[in-house]
């Protein structure tokens, strides 16, 4: 397989029910990963353009479900299945969905 232009790392970490940190999987991340694959496939972007991968915890659990976009190196937070068409359309244009991008000062939950 060819090297893709971008890789989307979708946190699919799941913690036990009731865990204080929660988890992206418990917030719907698995469905987000599936929807990304479907939408990228519909647009013919899977083979060369963008590879959606599942990932373990990206350590921004308080803003999950989270997606890291590489090599651009920005993160989306609180992603839902409804956001996926907009995310993929933006990737196709070489842009990002600013309303979902996690600002640098929000990575640390204690701030
Ligand atoms: S559980 Fe998804 S970022 Fe930690």
């Amino acid at each position: 397989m060819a090297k893709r232009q971008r890789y989307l790392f979708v946190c699919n970490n799941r913690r036990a029910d009731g865990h204080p940190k929660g988890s992206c999987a418990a917030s719907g991340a698995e469905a987000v990963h599936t929807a990304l694959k479907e939408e990228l496939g519909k647009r013919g972007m899977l083979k060369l353009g963008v590879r959606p991968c599942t990932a373990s915890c990206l350590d921004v659990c308080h803003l999950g479900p989270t997606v890291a976009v590489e090599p651009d190196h920005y993160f989306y937070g609180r992603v839902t299945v409804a956001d996926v068409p907009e995310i993929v359309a933006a990737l196709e244009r070489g842009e990002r969905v600013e309303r979902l991008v996690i600002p640098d000062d929000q990575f640390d939950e204690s701030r």
Side-chain angles (χ1 to χ4, degrees):
M1 276 295 183
K3 181 180 175 186
R4 310 309 202 282
Q5 293 173 335
R6 288 191 176 82
Y7 291 81
L8 305 181
F9 296 97
V10 184
C11 173
N12 267 212
N13 186 45
R14 180 178 292 281
R15 293 192 176 92
D17 290 345
H19 191 287
K21 289 183 87 168
S23 65
C24 290
S27 304
E30 293 159 334
V32 168
H33 176 252
T34 300
L36 281 167
K37 276 182 18 185
E38 289 173 359
E39 189 68 24
L40 289 161
K42 272 193 234 167
R43 292 172 185 258
M45 295 169 67
L46 281 174
K47 291 268 192 287
L48 291 174
V50 185
R51 169 82 176 169
C53 312
T54 57
S56 58
C57 180
L58 299 171
D59 209 18
V60 271
C61 319
H62 59 293
L63 296 174
T66 56
V67 179
V69 182
E70 297 295 350
D72 310 79
H73 200 50
Y74 61 86
F75 286 54
Y76 285 131
R78 299 195 200 290
V79 178
T80 69
V81 169
D83 296 321
V84 166
E86 187 180 357
I87 289 171
V88 174
L91 285 166
E92 201 168 29
R93 296 190 305 270
E95 298 173 359
R96 59 190 203 174
V97 181
E98 294 300 332
R99 67 180 178 81
L100 296 172
V101 175
I102 301 175
D104 287 349
D105 65 356
Q106 290 187 21
F107 277 72
D108 183 353
E109 189 178 11
S110 64
R111 296 177 104 195

